[in-house]
Amino acid sequence: MSNTAALALTSKDFTSNQEVRWCPGCGDYSILKQVQTILPEIGLRREEIVFISGIGCSSRFPYYLNTYGMHSIHGRAPAIASGLKIANPALSIWVITGDGDALSIGGNHLIHLLRRNFDMNVLLFNNEIYGLTKGQYSPTSPEGKVTKSTPMGSIDHPFNPLALAAGANGTFIARTMDRDPKHLRDVLKEANDHKGTSLVEIYQNCNIFNDGAFEVFTDKSSKPNTAVFVEHGKPIIFGENNSKGLRLDGALPVITDLASGSFGPDDLWIHDKHDRFKANLLMRCFDTPKPDGSSLPRPFGVFYKESKSLYEQSLHEQIADSIKRKGAGDLDALLKGKNTWEIL
Amino acid sequence: MSNTAALALTSKDFTSNQEVRWCPGCGDYSILKQVQTILPEIGLRREEIVFISGIGCSSRFPYYLNTYGMHSIHGRAPAIASGLKIANPALSIWVITGDGDALSIGGNHLIHLLRRNFDMNVLLFNNEIYGLTKGQYSPTSPEGKVTKSTPMGSIDHPFNPLALAAGANGTFIARTMDRDPKHLRDVLKEANDHKGTSLVEIYQNCNIFNDGAFEVFTDKSSKPNTAVFVEHGKPIIFGENNSKGLRLDGALPVITDLASGSFGPDDLWIHDKHDRFKANLLMRCFDTPKPDGSSLPRPFGVFYKESKSLYEQSLHEQIADSIKRKGAGDLDALLKGKNTWEIL
Amino acid sequence: MKDNNLTDAANHVRSMEELKDVTILFAGDSGDGIQLTGSQFSNTSALFGNDISTFPNYPAEIRAPQGTIAGVSGFQLHFGSVEIYTPGDQCDVLVVMNSAALKANLDKLKIGGTLIANTDGFDIKNLKLAGYIDGVSPLEDNSLGKYRLIEIDVTKLTREALKTSTLGTKEKDRSKNMFVLGFLYWMYNRKMATTEAFIREKFIKSPELIDSNLAVLKAGFNFGDTSETFTTRFEVKPAPLPKGKYRNIMGNQALALGLIAASRKSGLPIFYGSYPITPASDILHELARHKNFDVRTFQAEDEIAAITAAIGASFGGNIGVTASSGPGIALKGEALGLACMLEIPLVVINVQRGGPSTGLPTKTEQADLLQAVYGRNGEAPIPVIASSSPRDCFQVAFEAVRIAVEHMTPVFILSDGYIANGAEPWRYPSSDDLSSIHPPLLDKADGDTFLPYKRDEKGVRPWVVPGIAGLEHRIGGLEKQDETGNISYDPENHQTMVKLRADKINRIADFIPLQTVDQGEMHSKLLLLSWGSTYGAIKSACKELIFEGYSVSHIHLRHIHPFPKNLGDLLKGFGHVIVPELNSGQLVKMVRSEFLVNAQPVSKVKGLPFSSAEIKAEVIKYFQL
Amino acid sequence: MKDNNLTDAANHVRSMEELKDVTILFAGDSGDGIQLTGSQFSNTSALFGNDISTFPNYPAEIRAPQGTIAGVSGFQLHFGSVEIYTPGDQCDVLVVMNSAALKANLDKLKIGGTLIANTDGFDIKNLKLAGYIDGVSPLEDNSLGKYRLIEIDVTKLTREALKTSTLGTKEKDRSKNMFVLGFLYWMYNRKMATTEAFIREKFIKSPELIDSNLAVLKAGFNFGDTSETFTTRFEVKPAPLPKGKYRNIMGNQALALGLIAASRKSGLPIFYGSYPITPASDILHELARHKNFDVRTFQAEDEIAAITAAIGASFGGNIGVTASSGPGIALKGEALGLACMLEIPLVVINVQRGGPSTGLPTKTEQADLLQAVYGRNGEAPIPVIASSSPRDCFQVAFEAVRIAVEHMTPVFILSDGYIANGAEPWRYPSSDDLSSIHPPLLDKADGDTFLPYKRDEKGVRPWVVPGIAGLEHRIGGLEKQDETGNISYDPENHQTMVKLRADKINRIADFIPLQTVDQGEMHSKLLLLSWGSTYGAIKSACKELIFEGYSVSHIHLRHIHPFPKNLGDLLKGFGHVIVPELNSGQLVKMVRSEFLVNAQPVSKVKGLPFSSAEIKAEVIKYFQL
Ligand SMILES: Cc1ncc(C[n+]2csc(CCOP(=O)(O)OP(=O)(O)O)c2C)c(N)n1
Ligand SMILES: Cc1ncc(C[n+]2csc(CCOP(=O)(O)OP(=O)(O)O)c2C)c(N)n1
Ligand code: SF4
Ligand code: SF4
Ligand SMILES: [Mg+2]
Ligand SMILES: [Mg+2]
């Protein structure tokens, strides 16, 4: 897999001839654009890249990229991608999935992919709704959500997708949003650099069936107070002109007013993406924050990263071992077996 | 659902006329016995209890209990139980499942059951192997496990079932073992008392295909050093004549020698089953401990308990509400609809 | 109707002309409110007493860019003073709100038909988006000479009508469709009361929008009335439908109502486990609105959870129902086997769509019949019944529950996208008209040992719901011993049980009506044998053919497995049998194998329903041989 | 063989008698090493040159309590100096290690047959466990007068043979089965070398066990030799099998080898995605042992992941294979539709078992045929081929890969539990004997725009594996435009594609052998038409019937979809057609519908194979009509 930095490709090279068919204003457009922007920067040729998706609005994604791709069936992209990765570990594989595709019908394949730790990237477009089927609630929709299928409000307690990924022993867990192109690009690149299954949850606005689901995080006025962007090794700071920070009181994250002066940056929680438990604390900051900053903000960024053996690598090592020990398979010997006799 | 303490039933009353068909020495026998022992003690009539299982050796369980039961299909017991609970919330429902049934093919149904929080008990018989199909590795088998399907050792990183349950927002998470009847009974009773989905992982020895998988925890000589039994509100103590304890150094559990005297019980980690993060620390004590007690022991007991609205309750409340608001459905009005005309 | 009606209409005398039936196709951008316009005209016509049939044709599931062909939404309405069986083959009137709508639908307009075009939708931008590359408007290049063209700048006239309104232009333009609707009400001499009432209710929260929409609606009507250009109005008298009370109903809605009615008539709650999928989702949406009927809807994590939850609910004494389409049905095979083995009531609805795989999710097809009959491991027979029209869905749902509950078996309902979204008048029954359903529930122990698989004279086992003292029992997916239900690996017992399960299903034939001939003689040269949504097209084709003197008959099946007992004998009465299906020939396979008749397929696999013209052509071709 | 052979043998003259063929059934507790004893005798006989056929019959999947009927394990061996097609209907010799084994199998012993009983297995405890409630031993109540009873206290003799050994009694008793084996080797005049070698290899790690087992084996042999009671020995000469090199092979093993061979002959690695299930798991176990053939085995989280991973691997240029049984196959329907739509190579193996639902997991059945042919949503045709015997599995697997790869399609292989675990001699090919397989791989852009769904003369699209510059493309489950593969909702295109996909499959008939008549004339009164594992029983029945002068022929299908081109014509040659199947009549449905012949089913659904006697009886019954 060539990593020669500059193949002199541009985002155009990654744009297919297919007309993009999302609703005007859909968050998917921004994600597509950012992906097309970083692909030329990660030093891969088009033919080395494969996008595998399930079914959903988001899953139309592969058709719009001029790489190899498969728009498969609902929820099964992780399994298909696993088989493909085993067939050819050299490929750079990107799984595109939605909150329904990944967490409803595809939940089992996702958690097994995460535990096996194939080297690939999973982009989970979370719009907290079933878009393609025209607006039923999804496993990430907030409780009480009124949709076509829940006229009196949904009664399911939603998943916390990142906590679920952590519970499944995911080795790279991150969150970003369609409305913050730079952050989106940075997280995608870091995900791509990770050797292992990188799960990136992307908040994506469905302006037709769930418009404004994430407005509190994306709206300029509230964003500073409601969204905190964590960086490895740096103190966790947010708020208007970084006036606030998070401190850890035991296992309890508390908001700290930096303006007051009673606490300085060194008193703050320094984000360590290698610390499973602190990462878990971040993922569990999940209550919808008040715009005024009086409540814990929703964290974005790379929460957790761990290095662990890759499934496809171990598999091919076993093949190599067995060839080393037994020699490359001899078909005639195999057909012959142990006990034979001849009739003359 | 009658809770009159003594219905004067005995474990005999809960024993069906079907001949038990597990291998001699299988851990399932002990679990069956303990279940038959506690059932008379939880104040329910036989007819109020339903056991729903999937497929696997463990899943034969319902046939041996003289209650209502269904031996369903592989992995689907949680979904079947959900439908049954909605049909009749008064029933006491027990899902019986194995590590393959629950975590391999049934993984998705399990995590969705946990997040929805139906009021039922899930007993996960974990023998770290596929017993019924004669010995392939399972999602809980340790890495490198040599089985029929992995002659060179398994390359899957196993699940940590309790961590997965926590990631899925389970509201009651516990671990016990076939070889400790009293602990097993206590945990089962507490699980039954919990209003919500109670997940109980039970270490179960498959003496035919995976004999001794848990010996280090069950064997008298090593048990004191390798297994720690946590109790809510009590310091975490283990070791030969309770000579050791666990202390928390930040998020790091450390073994403390109580004999030395430098630390007393009050310095120890007091188990709080309502603390999600400390519970998570316990669940993550997952490396196989050395018998000599030099490494962290494997915890047993009720790790986490949280109270949350029940799915079936919310569903029936919505029905009641809607009847209150619209009145009990009037079929003729429904058939008539809004716009009608008559032809004379 | 005869073409000349409209062409006559072209000479400039202000006159009122009577028509037997009219087909109008409303077409425009997804955003143009086409579906609303169409359904309003439909309701008004129905309430007026016409017989009607409608066919909404949505763009493919992903919203396509505005103004493009892919973004065109259509609503076809066929109404008349005679009985109507289909939404009409070709249209008398085509309403297009933009260039793409014209390009996509012109072929559906009869020669001499009326074309109403919103000129504002034919600017360069729209022309290009629609793929008129050279940017020349078809309205101007006299390419439309074969039609009666009515050009209206709807946008301009709408804005004018709202000069005084304080609304923004965007809001104003949203009521464009009302202008068109008003104009057509004038053209077909309709009252606007229903639509006015609808507007008042819909916009109850903003009086401003009520006023604007009413104003534009009226403006459209007056535009026809005042403008000199339009000289002819048309009249379509009420249809001589059977006496009774009527309403409009769509297929999926009728399925939901049928289930609720069956719930009432059996005294058991409906449990509906489902995972959303086009075009089945609306059943879930409809049922979720009727919780006050003790309907329990469960949006499951996938189709397997949906059906297994339904099985669990049936075990608990509810009527377990699940529905899906295409790939979602394929996922239910294993669980269907379990339901067969348990012998528990279950209704599985397949609202068929274009396949294979994800296929054509928004298009219609009948290609899942053999899957319904055979798509399981082992010998697992399941009754299969199919609905023939939107209103028939009510009867079929009711019948499916009856069979499932009274015969303790899963039952397959086959509907399809065409029926699901289509609408027609329904002479709705009163609850008393509906027969009651008798579940074989056993609610107390009768002394001697309880045998959960002991059968009654119908071959049906008792339904025992957890909670009853003394009847505790275990059921499961392994082969069971006759009567006791205990696990049994005995070879003879297995053969017995396979036979008992099959007999139980076959005996359902004793509890369903004998097959009737829908059209034509009991003996004729050619039989049209059909099932499902092709009913209307074939019925009207057959009617006309008989009228034209052909020796042809029509048999339409509701019960496909088991077949009605007399079907084999009926078939003997015909020289030849052809089986029109929206697949590559599936029912025809079953009939050939079952009755060894040389039935021949007539296949259409285009994601679209048959037109009666296509059926007629096939038959005439046959007679010319 | 004729019964009297054995009964003659009963008069007490020490003699050597020659037999054409013998059927021995070894039966005992799961723990008694029955399977090992049986397979050792089988190998020895095969190596000696007999033709053989074996049928292991394990207890149901859960280990049953020792000594009970449910715990009985059986191994039936049929060997002869003539060609052998089945494991034998009834046994000449029944070896029982305990009471339960006798009770469970006595009905399989011929009148006058030899019954070898381990008396130690007939104590009160064992009798009660076996259900001889009154505790009276059948060995003592003269109820066995119809048989030649040989009582041996195997346990006692075994321990004696090991007097000097330092092993514990438990270990000693474990070699009981060797005593029986040694005795039978004496009885049938066999060399023990193979078994001795086997013992030396098996216990290589503990010389003690080598010695003990060898000692007991010899003791058993000598027991026959020395004891006066046994006067007759039997001789079964080598069979006149075709010249060549032979080995024994079991069905699942042969499937694995066939896949690996096809991998070599196509130059593509095998990817095997599977989720364990009885009786298919052994294919996974076998393949996992051959990683040095670059076989990639993936134990997936469920059957859906197994097949979709295989599809992903095929997309990546591997030969994607998946296997399952019963309920596991039912779960693969949706993904099969995707593979159809993608037009990608895939092999799906169904080792059928008793159904429906979980059914009879360890028993055999042929009831998944129609599921294989029709069990998907939409028009999704897939080639279906079936193996007729353990060794035939090799050819069938190889053929399936050839079709999948050369025609870019998923292919169904139907095997069953009977074939999967049965063994027979196999004249194994050399790699050069195998034709090579030609995947339509495209490995570089040829200038003009690449069309992933442009077809060759066979109707097959190119296979382009990710990694090739200039050929980047997207595939998916939505209907695709002809040639380009882009998403298309065009009605005409859909019809075209449905037809193109069907034609491609139908045209495979041009690339498979014409159907031959296996036995009998091309024209006769009665045809036995069959498929799959019933081959042996029907072949031998047919042979005998023809020998006895009946006008009967036998056609056995390997290719079920598409049928061989000449099948229809062949069928015309027979007065009547009967179709014996281990289901309620499935192939018969296809044949009736396809060829309108009045073929009649012969059904057996007991979880057991046909005996040739049953087939003969059916035919004779027919001729008596
Ligand atoms: C087996 C199957 N079940 C159901 C569907 C219908 N379906 C298509 S996409 C979808 C969910 C879409 O939601 P999500 O995954 O969040 O994607 P989004 O459209 O929101 O991007 C569903 C239920 C299907 N295509 N296949
Ligand atoms: C759909 C389906 N797939 C596979 C199987 C085969 N199968 C039966 S049980 C089982 C797994 C058993 O393991 P586990 O769940 O751990 O139960 P145990 O036998 O160990 O108690 C499998 C793969 C099946 N019966 N059905
Ligand atoms: S429905 Fe929602 S998610 Fe789908 S394309 Fe439209 S805006 Fe985007
Ligand atoms: S195989 Fe293992 S798990 Fe199954 S019954 Fe035997 S010992 Fe128990
Ligand atoms: Mg979504
Ligand atoms: Mg297990």
Side-chain angles (χ1 to χ4, degrees), chain C residues 37-94:
Chain C
T37 314
S39 45
Q40 277 305 304
F41 200 103
S42 306
N43 290 339
T44 300
S45 306
L47 285 166
F48 174 74
N50 296 132
D51 194 1
I52 70 165
S53 171
T54 71
F55 179 42
N57 196 349
Y58 309 101
E61 77 282 36
I62 300 255
R63 252 26 114 274
Q66 273 195 335
T68 63
I69 300 274
V72 173
S73 166
F75 187 101
Q76 188 163 319
L77 163 65
H78 186 190
F79 63 106
S81 59
V82 294
E83 278 183 69
I84 301 295
Y85 308 113
T86 77
D89 294 0
Q90 287 226 303
C91 323
D92 306 297
V93 182
L94 171 62

Side-chain angles (χ1 to χ4, degrees), chain D residues 120-281:
Chain D
D120 175 59
F122 287 79
D123 56 16
I124 290 299
K125 178 156 157 297
N126 272 289
L127 289 165
K128 287 221 177 322
L129 280 169
Y132 290 98
I133 342 87
D134 50 13
V136 179
S137 167
L139 304 182
E140 280 139 31
D141 65 4
N142 330 354
S143 59
L144 301 172
K146 302 201 288 314
Y147 312 98
R148 171 158 172 251
L149 175 61
I150 299 178
E151 300 181 59
I152 308 177
D153 187 337
V154 178
T155 315
K156 184 156 138 294
L157 293 166
T158 301
R159 291 182 187 168
E160 266 169 26
L162 296 177
K163 268 200 298 323
T164 64
S165 155
T166 63
L167 291 169
T169 346
K170 211 147 168 263
E171 276 77 31
K172 287 179 176 174
D173 291 356
R174 280 232 186 74
S175 48
K176 274 195 312 216
N177 56 332
M178 286 299 142
F179 190 94
V180 176
L181 185 57
F183 178 67
L184 283 160
Y185 279 154
W186 173 80
M187 198 162 163
Y188 289 94
N189 189 27
R190 294 279 187 233
K191 301 254 162 307
M192 303 200 290
T194 327
T195 299
E196 285 163 352
F198 168 82
I199 290 171
R200 290 203 178 79
E201 185 180 334
K202 176 159 200 246
F203 300 109
I204 189 125
K205 292 214 182 53
S206 75
E208 234 183 338
L209 290 177
I210 294 180
D211 299 344
S212 60
N213 280 280
L214 289 178
V216 176
L217 182 70
K218 183 162 262 62
F221 191 96
N222 296 341
F223 175 74
D225 217 17
T226 52
S227 137
E228 272 308 314
T229 37
F230 312 112
T231 55
T232 321
R233 297 173 73 182
F234 303 95
E235 182 152 34
V236 182
K237 292 240 161 63
L241 294 172
K243 285 195 174 41
K245 296 212 171 83
Y246 286 79
R247 64 171 288 183
N248 261 345
I249 192 133
M250 307 208 312
N252 279 346
Q253 192 184 16
L255 285 171
L257 266 52
L259 292 172
I260 293 173
S263 159
R264 276 304 164 89
K265 287 302 192 167
S266 60
L268 303 170
I270 290 288
F271 174 97
Y272 187 81
S274 182
Y275 185 67
I277 187 167
T278 306
S281 309

Side-chain angles (χ1 to χ4, degrees), chain A residues 28 55-59 73-74 76 97-102 105 125 127-133 136 138 204 206, chain C residues 275-278 303 324-325 327-328 331 353 358, chain D residues 334:
Chain A
D28 292 349
I55 300 282
C57 295
S58 34
S59 290
I73 46 178
H74 197 31
R76 318 302 175 187
T97 182
D99 43 317
D101 193 60
I105 193 169
F125 293 33
N127 54 12
E128 297 186 348
I129 199 83
Y130 290 173
L132 186 59
T133 47
Q136 301 82 10
S138 91
Q204 171 244 326
C206 168
Chain C
Y275 185 66
I277 188 167
T278 306
E303 286 82 359
S324 189
S325 182
L331 286 167
R353 64 188 216 182
T358 313
Chain D
E334 185 202 8

Side-chain angles (χ1 to χ4, degrees), chain A residues 22-23 26 57 127 131 204 206-209, chain C residues 63:
Chain A
W22 290 307
C23 306
C26 174
C57 295
N127 54 12
Q204 171 244 326
C206 168
N207 57 305
I208 298 295
F209 296 112
Chain C
R63 252 26 114 274

Side-chain angles (χ1 to χ4, degrees), chain A residues 117-131:
Chain A
N117 199 38
F118 281 90
D119 184 17
M120 58 178 75
N121 311 311
V122 180
L123 311 191
L124 198 170
F125 293 33
N126 183 4
N127 54 12
E128 297 186 348
I129 199 83
Y130 290 173

Side-chain angles (χ1 to χ4, degrees), chain C residues 2 42 54 57 94 165 277 326 335 344 380 388 414 479 488 513 523 532 594 609:
Chain C
K2 303 263 164 305
S42 306
T54 71
N57 196 349
L94 171 62
S165 155
I277 188 167
I344 204 158
S388 57
L414 295 179
E479 184 56 283
S488 164
H523 300 272
E594 183 78 14

Side-chain angles (χ1 to χ4, degrees), chain A residues 12-265:
Chain A
K12 263 211 174 27
D13 296 302
F14 287 93
T15 309
S16 81
N17 60 1
Q18 295 298 294
E19 170 183 37
V20 182
R21 292 232 179 140
W22 290 307
C23 306
C26 174
D28 292 349
Y29 284 98
S30 145
I31 304 172
L32 177 60
K33 187 162 186 315
Q34 301 323 316
V35 168
Q36 285 167 335
T37 310
I38 64 139
L39 287 182
E41 303 171 10
I42 60 175
L44 294 176
R45 297 201 165 79
R46 282 198 311 230
E47 66 269 22
E48 297 172 318
I49 302 171
V50 187
F51 282 80
I52 306 278
S53 65
I55 300 282
C57 295
S58 34
S59 290
R60 280 299 183 88
F61 206 86
Y63 280 108
Y64 307 139
L65 288 156
N66 193 6
T67 64
Y68 283 91
M70 189 192 295
H71 177 236
S72 74
I73 46 178
H74 197 31
R76 318 302 175 187
I80 291 173
S82 301
L84 177 60
K85 189 71 178 177
I86 289 170
N88 183 356
L91 297 170
S92 165
I93 299 180
W94 301 68
V95 170
I96 304 294
T97 182
D99 43 317
D101 193 60
L103 298 171
S104 198
I105 193 169
N108 203 32
H109 306 305
L110 180 68
I111 59 180
H112 281 269
L113 174 68
L114 290 167
R115 82 176 171 92
R116 291 189 182 118
N117 199 38
F118 281 90
D119 184 17
M120 58 178 75
N121 311 311
V122 180
L123 311 191
L124 198 170
F125 293 33
N126 183 4
N127 54 12
E128 297 186 348
I129 199 83
Y130 290 173
L132 186 59
T133 47
K134 308 204 159 102
Q136 301 82 10
Y137 80 105
S138 91
T140 58
S141 302
E143 236 162 298
K145 177 88 186 167
V146 172
T147 69
K148 281 189 180 147
S149 57
T150 52
M152 296 179 76
S154 102
I155 59 179
D156 289 41
H157 307 293
F159 274 133
N160 175 330
L162 302 192
L164 179 65
N169 301 338
T171 63
F172 183 99
I173 302 174
R175 178 190 290 136
T176 179
M177 57 171 88
D178 55 359
R179 299 282 176 87
D180 191 329
K182 177 166 184 330
H183 189 260
L184 180 49
R185 288 195 302 272
D186 294 345
V187 169
L188 290 179
K189 283 193 206 160
E190 193 171 342
N192 176 70
D193 294 339
H194 175 67
K195 293 263 149 288
T197 305
S198 309
L199 180 81
V200 180
E201 178 188 28
I202 306 174
Y203 283 169
Q204 171 244 326
N205 189 45
C206 168
N207 57 305
I208 298 295
F209 296 112
N210 200 19
D211 198 21
F214 307 107
E215 205 164 13
V216 64
F217 307 119
T218 56
D219 182 88
K220 283 195 189 32
S221 63
S222 51
K223 186 175 179 182
N225 282 333
T226 56
V228 54
F229 294 84
V230 302
E231 289 175 72
H232 180 62
K234 302 235 179 90
I236 300 180
I237 295 178
F238 68 108
E240 302 292 350
N241 42 57
N242 296 333
S243 58
K244 302 198 190 70
L246 288 187
R247 206 159 38 80
L248 268 184
D249 172 355
L252 197 73
V254 280
I255 299 179
T256 312
D257 183 352
L258 296 174
S260 75
S262 46
F263 290 101

